[in-house]
Every structure is written in C-alpha cells, then in structure tokens.
Amino acid sequence: MSDNKLIEAYNDLMGHLYEVMDDGIHSLANALEKAKEKTSEIGGVTQEELSKISDYVKRDVEHAAHALNEDGTDDLSEWLKFDIDLIENFALDAFMSVADKTSVELAKLKTLAEQNTYHSGEVTGPGTFVCDQCNKEIAFKTTSVIPKCPACGADTFVRC
C-alpha cells in the first residue's frame, strides 16, 4: 500500500472514530472497532492494513489525551510543539474531540501511554517527535509516514 493510501486510511478512520464517539458514550476500544467497521465498508485497504492504521490512530489519540489530561490544558499547540494554524488537511476538531473524550479513559492507562514508541514506516497524526538515538526533532504538520531519522538513520522516536 502506498504512503498516500495509508494516510487516507488514517484520516478516514479518524473521521469515523469522531462520528462514533460523537454518537454517545463509548470507550476508545469500542468506538475504534465501530470506526474500523465503517472504514472497512469503504474498501481500499486490507484487514491487516486497517489493523495497523487502527493501532496508529489509537496510539496518537491516547498520547494526545494523556498529554492534555496530565498538563491540565487544552492547548493543542503546546502538545504539538508548533502553531496549530500550520496544520493542513487534518480534522482538528475531530482529533481534539476524540482526544478529550479519551482523556478520562487514559487517566487509568497512564503507564501505557508513557511507553509509546513510534517507529519509521508507521503513520502518525501531526506532531513533533524526537529520535531515541540522537535527539533530532522532526515535525509533521499533516498525517504522515514516519521516516528514518534524517540525522542518524535510527528507526524509533518519542513524541515530545
């Protein structure tokens, strides 16, 4: 699957997740399953690819909700480490809504959220990441596929 197809699937799944979370009170896990079903109906991705994308969306939403809950702020710019006006083609309202609804659930999952590691080749939402090896920061203003570190070639990052 091409990078563009992965990015499109990530954005579709995020949109469906927003719709499901907006329909009522669902845990992130339940809402994500319903969103996966809706995304699967559209077609264009295999179940394996959809599972990967679902994992990426879950990771990003959990991290955002954890950070927003822990900081006691709703300032997305601080979490992203850049001005949200720079975000292009991303359902910001959907992402924030899902993250906000998930923050209560994530308060129980603090340890898990702190262990999120991002790998090259994975898809992620906008944000700034730091290489585990050389501390090089890379920023994504749109949904993107994480590359190898441009400074040292490492494969693992953490969101800063």
Side-chain angles (χ1 to χ4, degrees):
M1 176 179 256
S2 73
D3 288 352
N4 288 340
K5 208 60 166 150
L6 290 172
I7 290 167
E8 184 179 328
Y10 180 104
N11 288 334
D12 288 345
L13 185 62
M14 181 60 76
H16 288 121
L17 183 59
Y18 172 73
E19 292 169 4
V20 171
M21 295 287 285
D22 203 38
D23 286 344
I25 299 174
H26 297 281
S27 70
L28 178 60
N30 290 341
L32 201 48
E33 284 305 312
K34 290 178 188 270
K36 280 172 59 177
E37 290 172 15
K38 288 182 175 190
T39 304
S40 180
E41 290 171 7
I42 294 172
V45 293
T46 67
Q47 288 303 310
E48 182 180 335
E49 292 165 336
L50 184 56
S51 289
K52 273 180 147 177
I53 295 298
S54 175
D55 289 344
Y56 301 155
V57 166
K58 181 179 181 214
R59 174 204 58 207
D60 290 349
V61 168
E62 285 179 345
H63 192 266
H66 173 73
L68 296 174
N69 185 47
E70 186 175 271
D71 294 345
T73 181
D74 61 357
D75 186 2
L76 186 61
S77 292
E78 180 60 29
W79 179 73
L80 292 170
K81 303 293 185 206
F82 58 77
D83 185 354
I84 61 174
D85 291 337
L86 297 176
I87 295 177
E88 302 169 1
N89 299 324
F90 189 76
L92 183 60
D93 289 338
F95 188 79
M96 284 305 299
S97 176
V98 171
D100 184 52
K101 290 176 182 177
T102 305
S103 66
V104 172
E105 183 179 339
L106 283 179
K108 300 172 190 172
L109 302 173
K110 182 177 181 183
T111 303
L112 178 62
E114 291 173 345
Q115 296 174 354
N116 282 335
T117 300
Y118 295 73
H119 301 275
S120 61
E122 294 179 347
V123 176
T124 188
T128 301
F129 299 81
V130 176
C131 175
D132 277 345
Q133 300 298 311
C134 71
N135 294 322
K136 168 81 175 163
E137 288 188 9
I138 56 174
F140 303 108
K141 293 172 179 54
T142 64
T143 304
S144 302
V145 174
I146 301 169
K148 290 186 180 284
C149 177
C152 72
D155 291 319
T156 56
F157 301 83
V158 293
R159 190 181 287 270
C160 64

